[in-house]
Amino acid sequence: EVLAARREMSRAAQGAIDRRDWAGAEAELRRLLTSAPRSAEARVRLGRVLQEQGRLDEAYDAYRAALEQ
C-alpha cells in the first residue's frame, strides 16, 4: 500500500512536470519525499522543478542532497 501511494505521487509529479505545472510538481515531490526521504530520484526531480522556477539555491540544495543519498 505504501509503495502504491509512492508510485501514485511519482506519477502525479511527472504529470505536473509534463504540463509545466511547477508548483504542482513541487508539492507532489515534497509529499513523496515525506514518504521516501532517501529517494535520490525524487530529489533530482525536485531540483529540476526548482530550477525551472528560477529558485537556483534551492535547486542546488536538492541536487546536492540527491548526491548524498
Side-chain angles (χ1 to χ4, degrees), residues 7-68:
R7 279 192 298 272
E8 181 52 38
M9 285 182 263
S10 181
R11 280 190 209 111
Q14 189 58 52
I17 290 168
D18 292 346
R19 293 188 307 277
R20 302 180 64 83
D21 173 10
W22 307 125
E26 179 183 355
E28 288 297 335
L29 289 166
R30 290 195 186 277
R31 279 184 53 217
L32 178 56
L33 284 165
T34 298
S35 176
R38 297 185 49 110
S39 173
E41 178 188 350
R43 291 188 186 282
V44 168
R45 292 164 71 195
L46 178 60
R48 176 180 170 218
V49 165
L50 293 167
Q51 185 176 346
E52 290 289 344
Q53 295 177 80
R55 295 161 59 189
L56 302 182
D57 289 340
E58 292 172 83
Y60 174 84
D61 291 341
Y63 289 136
R64 184 178 176 128
L67 291 172
E68 294 172 355

